[in-house]
């Protein structure tokens, strides 16, 4: 197999399937976990570099990565973006209280919001935690007051401005 970048080795295949509803049938071993850490650090790592780093053949590394994709352990590959440099100078976590049993409806509407990057159903004093990135505070205000608070199932919101953020990568070996 040619030594291609990960983004290219999976070309021609559909994007990773959604995570299975039940836990992965096959347990992950030390090599699988090493591959995952490496790809989390550099999703563009070549098959050759993955194989060399985890001490397996390229064919074995390729097969393991494809199995991790097929099992839904790897859901896809993406770039880590510096939101401020990308013109998204305002970031906020927004907590939402929602009508009981409306999660699926609310999630569908939140995923359509511009700038929404992470949505989680959580326990505690609120029901949903939403991370958004917008151009500026004016756009953030419009998103919260006009778009989110107009969703009928949203009972209340609280906006927490992000002053600075740091993405944490996987632990190095």
């Amino acid at each position: 197999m040619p030594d291609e970048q990960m983004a290219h080795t999976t070309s021609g295949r559909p994007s990773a399937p959604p995570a299975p509803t039940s836990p992965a049938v096959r347990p992950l071993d030390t090599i699988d976990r090493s591959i995952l850490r490496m790809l989390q650090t550099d999703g563009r790592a070549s098959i050759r570099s993955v194989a060399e780093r985890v001490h397996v053949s390229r064919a074995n590394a390729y097969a393991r990565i494809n199995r991790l994709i097929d099992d839904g352990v790897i859901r896809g590959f993406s770039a880590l973006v510096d939101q401020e440099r990308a013109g998204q100078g305002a970031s906020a976590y927004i907590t939402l209280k929602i009508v009981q049993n409306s999660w699926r409806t609310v999630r569908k509407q939140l995923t359509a919001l511009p700038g929404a990057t992470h949505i989680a159903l959580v326990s505690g004093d609120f029901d949903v935690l939403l991370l958004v990135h917008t151009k500026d505070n004016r756009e953030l205000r419009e998103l919260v007051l006009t778009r989110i608070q107009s969703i009928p199932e949203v009972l209340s919101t609280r906006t927490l401005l992000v002053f600075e953020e740091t993405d944490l990568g996987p632990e190095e070996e």
Side-chain angles (χ1 to χ4, degrees), residues 7 10-19 66 68-72 74-77:
T10 58
S11 66
R13 296 184 64 173
S15 58
N66 281 333
L68 292 168
I69 291 169
D70 292 342
D71 286 353
I74 295 176
R75 297 183 303 179
F77 299 89

Side-chain angles (χ1 to χ4, degrees), residues 81-89 133-135:
V81 176
D82 182 316
Q83 296 295 336
E84 194 167 353
R85 288 183 181 213
Q88 302 295 303
H133 302 284
T134 61
K135 182 177 80 176

